[in-house]
């Protein structure tokens, strides 16, 4: 296989990587230390490998690494950290919407893409936009409840910290 | 499928030069999600066509022109009077896949043609292709037989899909059965209905997933033309002509169950299309 160089914006920083043509974005990110992007079903069903590509949540297991050329990618490492959670992470914690936590990075990124595009999604929009993320612990209610609270706080003009 | 190399094409003409250069190893990729499920012993050279400006939806003279690289998400979100493909997009896997998969990929790549091609058959959509001599062609018979499909896509690039804008008195129905949201379709059905003076003046019905290529049910259509446009006709459909087709049950279904499910789906989409035409579902 011919390895080739590609470059893209990763979490706000211009990066260059050598990629194997057959390599998926998920594998490229993980071998470069971005391990918040999780291995899951590897067939686009579970959403645990979610990243944001040019503002849209996608499954990095279904995206060839070379597809990222010239694009903007955000992984969970590009959002809030433990000591400084962002509003989505904080809402998930507040609602008790995290159990094993394996799906959480993907959930956070899907929610981030959704709220960046529409700060006040209605219940139906939340369900459609989040339908690519599976959670086998919480039963979704607490996750949706967290999303609804963020949406409501945006409606009231309050940005959660 | 294994990818052994990749190149980026910025124009249709550039994609053609790559197709010629790489021959049988060439493989056009837009969203690329289908490659994960495709089996090929030959390693391919991917020609990334995402940068070619054949995307977006335009309304032109009572028709919608959809760029082949338009994502399923864009199709879901697009709103305009007489636009119905958002109903198909809503049943498409999940949001992450809708964000990257394209309508062109769904038509020219995927397996047993169970999503957009089924809807395009009842809407009598046409495919606008450019061949290697840069000649443009409108292909409608693509949806009528398998050999045409293979021949058409082998040396051509699908640029646009054209479908009519539905007007007053016209309705559309679509249904897709899957075991899970991300599973392949086990049964897909679609219907177009035109109502005049309370009667069905035109009807088109197509099925997919249970057959290699979407089938139009001409006999069933003929039996419904001129009948009262009411959902109760769905219970009176003569399905005898279904036995003419060799159906392939999916997902472990028996033939009997597959046929039964198909009948239910066909009845549902006819009723949905009648309600749509009558303005009940709007």
């Amino acid at each position: 296989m011919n390895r080739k160089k590609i470059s893209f914006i990763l979490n706000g920083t211009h990066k260059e990587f050598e990629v194997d043509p057959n390599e998926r974005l998920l594998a490229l990110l993980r071998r470069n230390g971005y391990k918040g992007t999780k291995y899951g079903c590897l067939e686009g069903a579970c959403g645990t490998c979610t990243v944001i590509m040019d503002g849209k949540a996608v499954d990095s297991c279904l995206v060839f690494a070379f597809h990222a050329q010239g694009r903007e990618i955000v992984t969970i490492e590009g959002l809030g950290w433990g000591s400084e959670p962002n509003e989505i992470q904080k809402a998930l914690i507040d609602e008790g919407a995290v159990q094993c936590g394996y799906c959480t990075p993907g959930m956070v990124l899907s929610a981030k893409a959704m709220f960046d595009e529409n700060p006040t999604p209605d219940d139906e929009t939340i369900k459609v936009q989040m339908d690519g993320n599976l959670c086998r612990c919480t039963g979704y209610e607490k996750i949706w409840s967290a999303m609804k609270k963020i949406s409501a706080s945006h409606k009231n003009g309050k940005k959660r910290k | 499928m294994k990818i052994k190399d990749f190149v980026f094409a910025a124009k249709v003409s550039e994609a053609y030069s790559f197709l010629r250069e790489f021959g049988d190893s060439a493989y056009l990729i837009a969203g690329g999600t289908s490659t994960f499920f495709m089996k090929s012993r030959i390693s391919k050279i991917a020609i990334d066509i995402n940068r070619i400006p054949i995307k977006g939806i335009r309304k032109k003279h009572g028709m919608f022109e959809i760029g082949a690289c338009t994502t399923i998400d864009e199709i879901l979100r697009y709103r305009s009077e007489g636009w119905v493909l958002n109903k198909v997009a809503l049943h498409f896997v999940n949001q992450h896949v809708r964000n990257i998969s394209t309508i062109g990929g769904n038509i020219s790549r995927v397996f047993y043609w169970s999503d957009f091609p089924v809807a395009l058959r009842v809407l009598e959509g046409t495919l606008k292709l450019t061949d290697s001599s840069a000649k443009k062609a409108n292909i409608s018979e693509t949806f009528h037989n398998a050999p045409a499909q293979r021949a058409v896509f082998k040396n051509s690039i699908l640029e646009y899909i054209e479908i009519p804008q539905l007007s007053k008195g016209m309705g559309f129905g679509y249904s897709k059965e899957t075991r899970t949201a991300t599973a392949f379709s086990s049964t897909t059905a679609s219907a177009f209905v035109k109502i005049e003076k309370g009667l069905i003046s035109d009807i088109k019905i197509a099925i997919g997933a249970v057959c290699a290529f979407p089938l139009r049910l001409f006999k069933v259509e003929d039996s419904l033309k001129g009948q009262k446009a009411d959902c109760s006709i769905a219970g009176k459909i003569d399905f005898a002509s279904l036995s003419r087709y060799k159906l392939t049950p999916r997902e472990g279904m028996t033939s009997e169950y597959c046929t039964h499910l198909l009948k239910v789906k066909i009845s549902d989409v006819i009723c949905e299309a009648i309600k749509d035409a009558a303005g009940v579902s709007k």
Side-chain angles (χ1 to χ4, degrees):
Chain A
M1 294 270 181
N2 301 324
R3 282 206 158 193
K4 275 187 173 176
K5 268 195 182 158
I6 60 160
S7 63
F8 55 89
I9 309 285
L10 180 57
N11 298 332
T13 310
H14 183 265
K15 298 264 185 186
E16 268 195 6
F17 297 102
E18 274 210 337
V19 299
D20 175 331
N22 205 44
E23 189 169 28
R24 302 286 162 158
L25 184 57
L26 168 62
L28 173 74
L29 291 170
R30 287 187 61 87
R31 76 176 164 81
N32 282 283
Y34 297 86
K35 294 194 173 174
T37 312
K38 305 292 185 196
Y39 274 108
C41 65
L42 300 179
E43 57 178 34
C46 74
T48 191
C49 65
T50 302
V51 297
I52 300 175
M53 184 160 80
D54 287 347
K56 300 277 184 186
V58 298
D59 293 313
S60 59
C61 70
L62 288 187
V63 175
F64 282 107
F66 67 77
H67 251 132
Q69 166 66 31
R71 295 179 188 260
E72 196 168 340
I73 308 288
V74 178
T75 67
I76 194 69
E77 289 84 358
L79 301 182
W81 288 82
S83 55
E84 286 177 61
N86 71 6
E87 65 170 343
I88 300 160
Q89 292 162 324
K90 190 162 187 326
L92 289 170
I93 296 164
D94 290 350
E95 288 301 308
V98 178
Q99 286 187 33
C100 85
Y102 200 78
C103 72
T104 308
M107 289 280 181
V108 171
L109 285 156
S110 293
K112 164 88 175 138
M114 172 177 70
F115 285 117
D116 281 352
E117 195 183 348
N118 175 7
T120 57
D122 57 23
D123 293 3
E124 190 54 34
T125 306
I126 291 170
K127 285 193 179 175
V128 171
Q129 293 292 309
M130 300 291 292
D131 71 353
N133 294 86
L134 300 184
C135 171
R136 286 292 173 256
C137 303
T138 66
Y140 303 103
E141 285 302 329
K142 291 180 174 182
I143 295 167
W144 288 335
S145 166
M147 301 303 143
K148 286 176 196 173
K149 286 198 172 167
I150 297 170
S151 180
S153 72
H154 288 173
K155 258 183 209 148
N156 297 333
K158 290 179 223 153
K159 185 97 175 162
R160 289 168 70 113
K161 289 197 175 168
Chain B
M1 173 189 293
K2 288 243 173 195
I3 302 294
K4 63 179 176 185
D5 201 357
F6 59 88
V7 290
F8 299 102
K11 291 187 285 190
V12 172
S13 57
E14 206 178 342
Y16 269 117
S17 358
F18 285 133
L19 278 175
R20 275 194 293 269
E21 187 184 339
F22 305 138
D24 283 347
S25 297
Y27 192 85
L28 296 170
I29 282 186
T33 49
S34 62
T35 55
F36 185 85
F37 303 97
M38 296 186 89
K39 291 185 174 79
S40 171
R41 286 183 190 163
I42 309 164
S43 291
K44 301 281 187 182
I45 300 173
I47 304 166
D48 186 329
I49 58 168
N50 269 300
R51 284 143 183 92
I52 301 178
I54 46 173
K55 49 184 84 171
I57 304 160
R58 278 175 295 276
K59 205 152 73 169
K60 255 167 96 175
H61 315 299
M63 304 291 282
F64 290 106
E65 190 183 73
I66 310 149
C69 287
T70 306
T71 64
I72 311 304
D73 179 59
E74 290 169 89
I75 290 168
L76 177 64
R77 288 163 188 258
Y78 184 76
R79 288 290 181 276
S80 182
E81 207 179 323
W83 171 252
V84 291
L85 287 189
N86 54 315
K87 290 185 185 181
V88 182
L90 187 61
H91 290 83
F92 198 89
V93 196
N94 59 36
Q95 189 57 41
H96 293 174
V97 180
R98 290 192 288 268
N99 279 339
I100 191 162
S101 288
T102 64
I103 185 168
N106 187 246
I107 291 168
S108 54
R109 288 281 178 246
V110 178
F111 331 108
Y112 26 91
W113 274 27
S114 54
D115 295 292
F116 288 94
V118 183
L120 294 182
R121 276 219 70 179
V122 301
L123 295 170
E124 298 199 320
T126 56
L127 307 182
K128 292 189 166 190
L129 297 121
T130 308
D131 68 15
S132 52
S133 59
K135 219 165 85 184
K136 292 190 187 298
N138 268 0
I139 308 289
S140 52
E141 60 274 20
T142 305
F143 293 124
H144 294 261
N145 62 66
Q149 191 263 347
R150 290 196 192 104
V152 162
F153 289 115
K154 190 163 168 57
N155 295 307
S156 306
I157 292 180
L158 172 61
E159 289 195 45
Y160 295 97
I161 298 102
E162 208 171 62
I163 56 159
Q165 177 184 4
L166 300 200
S167 52
K168 204 176 164 207
M170 295 178 180
F172 173 78
Y174 176 84
S175 181
K176 174 180 162 188
E177 187 71 22
T178 56
R179 281 179 69 187
T180 63
T182 50
F184 291 116
S185 173
S186 50
T187 322
T188 304
S190 190
F192 163 85
V193 164
K194 188 175 178 190
I195 302 175
E196 282 174 315
K197 295 177 183 163
L199 303 176
I200 294 174
S201 62
D202 192 11
I203 182 162
K204 297 179 183 83
I205 305 161
I207 55 170
V210 292
C211 36
F213 296 90
L215 286 171
R216 273 279 297 277
L217 304 179
F218 295 107
K219 290 227 163 181
V220 178
E221 292 172 8
D222 287 343
S223 71
L224 294 171
K225 278 178 195 161
Q227 293 213 33
K228 198 178 163 199
D230 187 290
C231 278
S232 62
I233 63 157
K236 301 171 196 158
I237 299 169
D238 179 6
F239 285 112
S241 56
L242 270 185
S243 58
R244 293 169 58 213
Y245 304 109
K246 191 179 176 296
L247 304 177
T248 312
R250 309 270 175 202
E251 306 280 354
M253 291 191 293
T254 62
S255 295
E256 291 74 21
Y257 184 74
C258 173
T259 309
H260 170 74
L261 186 59
L262 205 52
K263 289 175 183 173
V264 172
K265 292 279 155 193
I266 293 166
S267 305
D268 285 352
V269 294
I270 291 171
C271 187
E272 187 187 342
I274 288 172
K275 283 182 180 171
D276 191 30
V280 176
S281 59
K282 283 176 182 138

